[in-house]
Amino acid sequence: MDIARNAALVVVDVQRGFEEVGFWGTRNHPAADDNIAALLDAWQSAGRPVVFVRHDSVSPGSPLRPGSEGNGFKEYVERRR
């Protein structure tokens, strides 16, 4: 794979709150977490920059609201930050 020298990996919304089936429903991409972890490992091993972004919901009932456990990154992402 040919990647530009100034490219960065952007990891968006890999938060614990997205695991709440009662709020979001059943996931349709069960391999996503393994794929994201593999990308992070490869990218970081190559010394390339990674940017982590999370959604801070303003909805009171959202599992992604700041201060809630669901707002945090999933454990495998947190280990790699």
Side-chain angles (χ1 to χ4, degrees):
M1 180 185 322
D2 187 25
I3 301 172
R5 294 176 64 112
N6 62 349
L9 177 65
V10 181
V11 179
V12 180
D13 294 352
V14 185
Q15 294 163 260
R16 291 182 289 227
F18 284 113
E19 295 297 324
E20 293 194 25
V21 175
F23 192 85
W24 304 105
T26 304
R27 293 179 65 179
N28 64 356
H29 45 71
D33 289 318
D34 289 339
N35 291 334
I36 294 166
L39 276 170
L40 280 167
D41 290 343
W43 209 268
Q44 289 175 326
S45 292
R48 305 302 294 272
V50 179
V51 177
F52 297 91
V53 179
R54 77 170 140 223
H55 179 76
D56 288 338
S57 178
V58 296
S59 298
S62 172
L64 303 177
R65 68 192 179 285
S68 71
E69 183 177 324
N71 184 260
F73 290 112
K74 291 183 179 184
E75 188 272 331
Y76 75 91
V77 171
E78 196 59 50
R79 276 197 324 257
R80 291 166 171 86
R81 284 185 352 120

